Amino acid sequence: MLLFGVESSCDETSVAVVEMGDAVRRICACKTASQIGIHQLYGGVVPEIASRAHAEAISSLAYQALAEAGVTMEEIDVVAVTAHPGLIGALLVGVNFAKGVAAAYHKPLVAVNHICGHVAANYLAHPDLRPPFLSLTVSGGHTSLMLVHDYTSFEVIARTRDDAAGEAFDKVARVMGIRYPGGAEMDRLASAGNRDAISFPSAAIQGDTLDFSFSGLKTAVINYLHNAEQKGERYSREDVAASFTRAVTDALVRRVDEALDRTGCKTVALAGGVAANSHLRTALCQKAQARGVALYLPPKELCGDNAAMIGAQGYYEFLAGHLSASDLNASAVSTLSRA
Ligand code: KG4
Ligand code: ZN
């Protein structure tokens, strides 16, 4: 089955053609236009500008994706689009574009949850991955631990109470003078630093919860930087990045460990933009090896926002009969609720 995927929830406009079936999970084409250069001027995503940039880019990306895949819209079976969560104006561009395409070519339309889409990036990379499994999704807008009971059945067992992991990376990076989004540069700096140099607070909440809180950790790091600057003291950017990264990864890995204990799951999949972080990948690999559980990591090119993952999840939504009508609307908040 050929799916036409559309993604516009934040600052990447993406259109893809994917082939999905019992024995095939293949990206035929995935064209993504990043708006990062535009938003860097402001130090973060400006929603109004993001919506306008999506509107400018989306049609051309669609033509490019179809041309690269070597198919016409007539040959597409299903149109899949990110409908939630995300920036509402940005989402509406993709949703309305997908609705127009579906109506014009008389194709079924399915709405995809962006977080479930991130999880589905793993299906494209790993033909053998099948639910049930535990997923850790860490991105600029979301941080959640979910039990993926089936392809379209998700149980949220933990989430962040404030900032997302990627947001914390970006905000700390910004104070260190690193351009938005700073996650990848922090990753590089951390590799050259001493992770034991500074003791920052944990991002794991105390008590009988698996939830996270990144805001206290973020503030502690920013205070450390401001204090050093005010006193005219020099600090090692590498050590700050390494110690902060350690606090983030320790909390995430600890929660995965506890979730595995509680659920008895034997498989873990990582997802989202922060899944590209080399230190998190290494720490999770070590934990998975020590516990004897299977770990699935998305390739770095599928960690960030892309439409191929939306097409992949759209396939399973379609199989489950989750069709959308022409009144499909976007929603800024996630439809996934916790158990
Ligand atoms: O999934 P994504 O593309 O967008 C959202 O759905 O939010 O994630 C973007 C986030 C940004 O915060 C970015 O700084 C972070 O992923 N990121 C990283 C790395 N690469 C991207 N964070 C830490 N280490 C990285 N290597
Ligand atoms: Zn995302």
Side-chain angles (χ1 to χ4, degrees), residues 43-121:
V45 180
V46 183
E48 164 83 11
I49 295 175
S51 307
R52 289 173 181 277
H54 286 308
E56 275 170 19
I58 203 159
S59 303
S60 157
L61 291 171
Y63 287 122
Q64 290 173 41
L66 290 167
E68 190 174 303
V71 298
T72 61
M73 258 326 285
E74 282 78 10
E75 293 169 87
I76 296 287
D77 297 296
V78 176
V79 175
V81 61
T82 305
H84 41 80
L87 301 171
I88 190 66
L91 286 164
L92 282 167
V93 175
V95 166
N96 279 306
F97 181 75
K99 286 208 285 191
V101 169
Y105 292 93
H106 307 288
K107 304 294 177 187
L109 176 69
V110 292
V112 173
N113 179 298
H114 182 77
I115 304 170
C116 304
H118 271 301
V119 176

Side-chain angles (χ1 to χ4, degrees), residues 176-222:
M176 288 170 68
I178 297 165
R179 287 206 301 184
Y180 170 85
E185 176 63 8
M186 290 287 279
D187 188 352
R188 204 188 55 77
L189 276 178
S191 301
N194 172 8
R195 63 203 289 272
D196 300 318
I198 311 154
S199 172
F200 290 128
S202 170
I205 289 181
Q206 300 298 318
D208 187 34
T209 174
L210 293 175
D211 281 353
F212 307 98
S213 165
F214 291 97
S215 147
L217 168 61
K218 172 197 72 183
T219 307
V221 182
I222 292 176

Side-chain angles (χ1 to χ4, degrees), residues 7 9 114 118 139-140 142 272-273 303-305 309:
E7 157 64 37
S9 66
H114 182 77
H118 271 301
S139 73
H142 324 281
C303 289
D305 292 347
M309 68 188 197

